[in-house]
Amino acid sequence: GSGGTVEVPSAANNSRPYSQRVDVSLVLKGRVVGGISFDIGVTPALPPPPGQLTPYVTGTWDLREDRKTVVQIVNPTGRHLKVQVAFFDDNERPLGCVREGMSPNDLLEVDVAAQRLPARFGVVKAVSFDESGRPAAGIVGYQRLFSRIGLSEAPLHPIPAAVLEGDLPFIRRACR
């Protein structure tokens, strides 16, 4: 018998679904005696696992009561990146932005209270760009929450590039 392999075109990647129709024929003694048709597909993985490089990470910040949030963005790559860290309140209203260039293996630490945002808690979104201004995978991040009972640290969640495409206009609005 003979076998076959379905190859996914290089244009199909983790950010876009891909599907293909497959027809299989059963041949006995040179005659087609049956067959089957079916669809196969590749669906994007959502979201990338923590620690995976991505152009887009998100989390929360909290300044209520005695809390303090510090957002850390790390560029573990060997290239220069531009980063925008956008802050939103809990009603999705853009509040402010930090723009920084990051050198290879750099750490950006943002004390949210120092930003003097007009809200007490909300969402933080960080995006990395290459030197031409296109979103480029290259950051990981952490949110550190200090309170009277101690410190908690959590990773900022990596978000798929396909989601960034739709969210980038909102982030840019915060970073005007």
Side-chain angles (χ1 to χ4, degrees), residues 73-127:
I73 306 297
V74 178
N75 172 9
T77 73
R79 65 182 194 272
H80 290 269
L81 296 171
K82 297 174 184 175
V83 176
Q84 293 181 350
V85 182
F87 296 94
F88 299 83
D89 68 13
D90 61 318
N91 290 314
E92 305 158 15
R93 187 173 56 123
L95 301 176
C97 182
V98 172
R99 292 176 201 80
E100 288 286 334
M102 295 186 76
S103 59
N105 303 305
D106 200 358
L107 167 67
L108 170 62
E109 193 167 66
V110 180
D111 179 344
V112 178
Q115 303 308 306
R116 302 190 185 281
L117 302 171
R120 303 302 297 157
F121 70 107
V123 174
V124 59
K125 299 178 178 190
V127 181

Side-chain angles (χ1 to χ4, degrees), residues 3 32 50 76 112 124 143 147 150-151 162:
V32 175
V112 178
V124 59
Q143 57 199 34
S147 71
L151 163 71

